[in-house]
Amino acid sequence: MDLISAIFRPEVMVFLVPITAIAGHYFYRAQKLKAGDQLSGEERKMLSHVMNENENLKNRVENLESIITGLDKELLQIKVSEDAKEVEDKVRKLADALKQG
């Protein structure tokens, strides 16, 4: 049996996938730390500023989303109440017509 077919056997893959994920996570963290050590003071300050601005923008978008979804609900309620008034008027006219007829 060659190496490729041995690696892709189900009993090997069950263990290989989590091990690869764990190794990838630690590699990513090591690269991130290495990159962080190479930043100058000005670059760190700029990165911090950009991260704060990103967080502020994220909060603003979430607020806008909540406003828009709230407006949608209010508009739907207005439409429903307008429709209800229209139906109520039609029923009242029909009732009046039946009483007179």
Side-chain angles (χ1 to χ4, degrees):
M1 179 180 306
D2 62 357
L3 181 63
I4 300 296
S5 61
I7 289 176
F8 287 108
R9 291 181 53 190
E11 56 272 8
V12 174
M13 291 297 290
V14 168
F15 296 106
L16 192 59
V17 170
I19 290 170
T20 305
I22 292 168
H25 173 72
Y26 283 110
F27 177 76
Y28 171 75
R29 285 185 61 193
Q31 294 298 319
K32 189 175 173 181
L33 288 173
K34 190 189 315 181
D37 291 341
Q38 295 175 357
L39 294 177
S40 69
E42 183 66 27
E43 289 171 334
R44 286 177 196 261
K45 193 183 295 185
M46 187 184 304
L47 179 61
S48 176
H49 175 72
V50 168
M51 288 175 65
N52 287 336
E53 188 173 338
N54 185 21
E55 188 64 31
N56 289 337
L57 290 172
K58 181 180 171 185
N59 290 336
R60 289 178 66 187
V61 167
E62 288 174 358
N63 288 338
L64 287 172
E65 287 174 345
S66 66
I67 290 169
I68 295 299
T69 55
L71 286 177
D72 286 348
K73 289 176 185 174
E74 289 175 13
L75 290 174
L76 287 173
Q77 289 174 351
I78 290 171
K79 178 68 175 156
V80 167
S81 66
E82 288 175 357
D83 289 344
K85 288 178 186 177
E86 189 176 314
V87 169
E88 185 180 338
D89 290 341
K90 287 181 181 179
V91 168
R92 188 174 297 121
K93 287 179 185 178
L94 180 61
D96 291 342
L98 290 174
K99 285 180 186 176
Q100 292 174 359

